[in-house]
Amino acid sequence: MNRREWWKTFGSVAVVPHLAHGAGNTLETSIVRLKLRHTWTTTMSSSEYRDTLHVRFTSGGITGYGEGAPIVRYKEDAASAQRAVESVRDLLTTADPREFAKLNAGIFRRIEGEYAAKAALDIALMDWAGKKFGVPLHRYYGLDKNDTPVTTFTIGMDKPDVVRAKVREAEAFPVLKVKVGLDTDEEMIAAVRSVTRKPLRVDANEGWKNKEVAVRKIEWLQSQGVEFVEQPMPAQMLDEVAWVKQRVRMPLIADEACLHPRDIPKLVGAFDGINIKLMKCGGMQEAFRMIQIARALGLKVMLGCMIESSVGVAAAAQLSPLADYADLDGNLLISNDPYTGLRVERGKILLPDAPGLGVAPKHA
Ligand code: MG
């Protein structure tokens, strides 16, 4: 085949009409108020709703959905997340999203902090890429959807009678996560235990400020059928947590002490595992990297979430076959999820077979 013949055969491919990626991309952002089924109380705050940032990215006729749930502790809110996303609009509207990793690196270079904004963009790009390549994201990562873990359902702090009602409502979930860390810990656990014998996991959210108190609390929790405890002491108290770890059998999981990939190496010796959240690290690509680092260092992997709709939770769920533990109940704690597609049955995460995240807006 000479050059002219080759050009006649293959050159014609270039003139087949197709939708270009790059010029003409659109990016829409909106803040959505997610209503909580119950007032949500932790050591940090108490609230009736959460505002999250929703992103729709369209290129070549394909739309990817993303969500960022800003974390108050890191001085982020939905408005600051929206401003951060808008600050890179030029990047998104001109780039080729098939190069999502390159694009993500550019976004990380341009935006300081604002990890919920980064997560919203990363999730939208990954959803777009999955749809473009025609694969669900767990398949893109080479994972088996049968390997998803059971997610815990979280019981927030409340008065004993409300706690008992919440535990009864969570009947379908085989493992519960209980929030502690205030001076009502014993009351909380006693209220849960008066209703169920299920295994429990406990999150102290940095609540215990003294290492002797932490050891005493953990020993008591051990006698109450608790499997592990998340962030027993303040994030910066790594030496104290290492001291505690030498004195208790229960695994200790870092949450507030572990935000980004660079945080992981220094946790070895203090914690047995890490709770990775897309909203702390800035999305699926960064979370995947954290999972690999944790594994290389012999740490257990937990995947967690914030109060989020099915978009944010689905993004974490797509990676969940890689996790030992999941706490992916954010979408189950709200009453007005704008998206559908992700299901949980008796606690087991059921990943959709549709390309990308596998979720769609309810009104569509
Ligand atoms: Mg936690």
mmCIF file of all heavy atoms in Angstrom, residues 27 36 38 68 95 152 253 276:
data_model
loop_
_atom_site.group_PDB
_atom_site.id
_atom_site.type_symbol
_atom_site.label_atom_id
_atom_site.label_comp_id
_atom_site.label_asym_id
_atom_site.label_seq_id
_atom_site.Cartn_x
_atom_site.Cartn_y
_atom_site.Cartn_z
ATOM 1 N N LEU A 27 -19.027 23.193 31.900
ATOM 2 C CA LEU A 27 -18.896 22.895 33.330
ATOM 3 C C LEU A 27 -19.977 23.667 34.057
ATOM 4 O O LEU A 27 -20.086 24.884 33.923
ATOM 5 C CB LEU A 27 -17.506 23.351 33.810
ATOM 6 C CG LEU A 27 -17.194 23.170 35.290
ATOM 7 C CD1 LEU A 27 -17.045 21.699 35.642
ATOM 8 C CD2 LEU A 27 -15.914 23.928 35.657
ATOM 9 N N LEU A 36 -30.651 16.018 56.440
ATOM 10 C CA LEU A 36 -30.325 14.841 57.261
ATOM 11 C C LEU A 36 -31.588 14.218 57.843
ATOM 12 O O LEU A 36 -32.508 14.936 58.243
ATOM 13 C CB LEU A 36 -29.373 15.261 58.373
ATOM 14 C CG LEU A 36 -27.961 15.553 57.872
ATOM 15 C CD1 LEU A 36 -27.237 16.501 58.800
ATOM 16 C CD2 LEU A 36 -27.196 14.248 57.716
ATOM 17 N N HIS A 38 -31.644 12.524 60.597
ATOM 18 C CA HIS A 38 -31.563 12.805 62.035
ATOM 19 C C HIS A 38 -30.567 13.934 62.235
ATOM 20 O O HIS A 38 -29.628 14.067 61.454
ATOM 21 C CB HIS A 38 -31.029 11.590 62.799
ATOM 22 C CG HIS A 38 -31.967 10.429 62.846
ATOM 23 N ND1 HIS A 38 -33.070 10.394 63.654
ATOM 24 C CD2 HIS A 38 -31.956 9.260 62.165
ATOM 25 C CE1 HIS A 38 -33.706 9.257 63.487
ATOM 26 N NE2 HIS A 38 -33.052 8.538 62.583
ATOM 27 N N GLY A 68 -18.587 17.536 45.774
ATOM 28 C CA GLY A 68 -17.623 17.827 46.832
ATOM 29 C C GLY A 68 -18.367 18.158 48.112
ATOM 30 O O GLY A 68 -19.239 19.022 48.124
ATOM 31 N N ALA A 95 -9.478 21.540 28.039
ATOM 32 C CA ALA A 95 -8.645 20.325 28.067
ATOM 33 C C ALA A 95 -9.334 19.145 27.392
ATOM 34 O O ALA A 95 -10.551 19.147 27.197
ATOM 35 C CB ALA A 95 -8.325 19.957 29.505
ATOM 36 N N THR A 152 -20.620 -0.079 57.243
ATOM 37 C CA THR A 152 -21.271 0.168 58.528
ATOM 38 C C THR A 152 -22.343 1.228 58.325
ATOM 39 O O THR A 152 -22.330 1.975 57.343
ATOM 40 C CB THR A 152 -20.262 0.712 59.565
ATOM 41 O OG1 THR A 152 -19.470 1.730 58.958
ATOM 42 C CG2 THR A 152 -19.375 -0.386 60.085
ATOM 43 N N ILE A 253 -7.468 3.077 63.970
ATOM 44 C CA ILE A 253 -7.539 3.567 62.586
ATOM 45 C C ILE A 253 -7.430 5.091 62.590
ATOM 46 O O ILE A 253 -8.175 5.770 63.310
ATOM 47 C CB ILE A 253 -8.877 3.154 61.909
ATOM 48 C CG1 ILE A 253 -9.134 1.637 62.049
ATOM 49 C CG2 ILE A 253 -8.923 3.608 60.453
ATOM 50 C CD1 ILE A 253 -8.206 0.742 61.270
ATOM 51 N N ILE A 276 -9.524 6.453 54.558
ATOM 52 C CA ILE A 276 -9.343 7.323 53.390
ATOM 53 C C ILE A 276 -10.703 7.887 52.984
ATOM 54 O O ILE A 276 -11.679 7.149 52.862
ATOM 55 C CB ILE A 276 -8.741 6.518 52.218
ATOM 56 C CG1 ILE A 276 -7.362 5.963 52.607
ATOM 57 C CG2 ILE A 276 -8.654 7.366 50.946
ATOM 58 C CD1 ILE A 276 -6.809 4.935 51.633
#
